[in-house]
Amino acid sequence: MKCYIVDAFTKELFKGNPAAVCILDHWLPNGLMEQIAMENSLSETAFTVRENDHWHLRWFTPGGEIDFCGHATLGTAFVLANFIDPTASRYIFQTRNGKLTVTRNGDQFSMDFPAYTMKPIPVTEAVEKALGVKPVEAYLARDLVCVLADESQVIHCQPNLEKLKQLDGLLCHITAIGTKYDTVSRSFAPKLSVAENPVCGSGHCHIIPVMASKLGKHDLISYQASKRGGELYCHLENGRIAMAGYAVLYAESTLKI
């Protein structure tokens, strides 16, 4: 079985968010895919099987299967474009979250994702203690989004991961208006056995609706201020987000399974 490791949302090796992409002839048992994801020890491992004119795509973290992952979708499209189906300009994926379409434009890949409807919620003492800083606002859908006063607070935030596990939401994202970028954000996923997600595509399906409303614009360039860093080019319209980015190959291997 071929397995590729791709750094997504970047043009440079060792930046962006690394994802493993496994190209399968047929589905493996869930337990085996969970073991592979644990062995890879990356925030996500994607598994894909061709089904007629589209691809069936699933994502696993070291903590189990999830319903949505942006950077591993970008990584999968990159692998298909460079190693499996290089003549295609569009890749259609069937997922637990519905149909996802990725369009290739040169070296850039644009993903069509649903935007989450974000509900404002109170900023509680528990949130402040978990983050070590008091957010200006908080919103909730699948994930929790906390808006901080400025990008410096985002960059220097040192959250208590055990306390983050007690908060609502699958992941916790912190964000603020940037100086060089429209938004600067970070993403934490201790409930999925991932301390910090280097660049979170699904997280920006939560962050962008919040920040687009605050900024009064539909096109935003977002920077994920993790140690690796990454850039996301986003357009919000009619409840959908066109999220574009670049990727680079780190490794190609054969799994002895």
Side-chain angles (χ1 to χ4, degrees):
M1 177 175 61
K2 298 294 292 187
C3 181
Y4 305 83
I5 298 179
V6 178
D7 290 340
F9 293 118
T10 182
K11 294 180 180 179
E12 300 179 55
L13 277 176
F14 311 119
K15 293 189 177 181
N17 198 352
V21 179
C22 296
I23 308 297
L24 308 179
D25 295 324
H26 58 272
W27 288 114
L28 303 174
N30 284 357
L32 180 54
M33 290 190 286
E34 290 171 359
Q35 289 179 311
I36 293 170
M38 290 178 64
E39 186 78 5
N40 287 334
S41 195
L42 298 172
S43 60
E44 271 84 18
T45 295
F47 297 88
T48 189
V49 174
R50 187 160 205 161
E51 298 179 352
N52 298 318
D53 62 344
H54 64 270
W55 295 82
H56 195 161
L57 179 62
R58 297 171 68 183
W59 310 277
F60 285 79
T61 75
E65 187 172 11
I66 58 172
D67 64 353
F68 188 25
C69 177
H71 83 280
T73 302
L74 172 56
T76 302
F78 173 88
V79 168
L80 297 181
N82 285 276
F83 299 99
I84 310 298
D85 191 5
T87 62
S89 59
R90 186 176 68 164
Y91 303 93
I92 299 173
F93 299 104
Q94 293 294 338
T95 77
R96 290 175 59 179
N97 204 40
K99 185 176 77 171
L100 299 178
T101 301
V102 182
T103 303
R104 180 185 186 186
N105 181 14
D107 293 331
Q108 189 181 72
F109 295 85
S110 179
M111 301 170 285
D112 176 34
F113 289 153
Y116 283 90
T117 300
M118 303 304 298
K119 176 184 177 182
I121 61 171
V123 175
T124 64
E125 184 179 355
V127 171
E128 183 177 355
K129 287 184 176 180
L131 293 176
V133 62
K134 186 175 182 178
V136 176
E137 300 167 351
Y139 299 83
L140 184 65
R142 184 199 74 173
D143 300 347
L144 175 65
V145 173
C146 295
V147 180
L148 305 189
D150 56 56
E151 66 179 13
S152 178
Q153 288 188 347
V154 173
I155 293 168
H156 298 293
C157 183
Q158 295 182 329
N160 184 309
L161 296 179
E162 288 303 314
K163 290 182 179 179
L164 280 185
K165 291 180 181 179
Q166 308 307 314
L167 302 181
D168 291 334
L170 184 62
L171 284 75
C172 177
H173 311 285
I174 56 175
T175 188
I177 296 173
T179 52
K180 181 179 177 182
Y181 297 89
D182 294 304
T183 72
V184 174
S185 307
R186 290 172 66 194
S187 302
F188 306 97
K191 293 179 183 178
L192 298 174
S193 302
V194 176
E196 181 168 2
N197 192 321
V199 189
C200 190
S202 66
H204 278 78
C205 292
H206 297 74
I207 294 166
I208 294 302
V210 171
M211 300 306 287
S213 177
K214 291 180 69 65
L215 290 166
K217 59 194 301 187
H218 296 284
D219 293 290
L220 292 85
I221 301 176
S222 184
Y223 180 71
Q224 191 100 39
S226 64
K227 288 183 179 180
R228 296 176 63 96
E231 296 178 339
L232 306 92
Y233 304 84
C234 303
H235 174 76
L236 176 66
E237 186 173 357
N238 297 325
R240 307 288 299 183
I241 295 178
M243 185 182 301
Y246 297 89
V248 60
L249 181 70
Y250 168 67
E252 177 183 357
S253 63
T254 301
L255 302 188
K256 301 300 185 180
I257 296 171

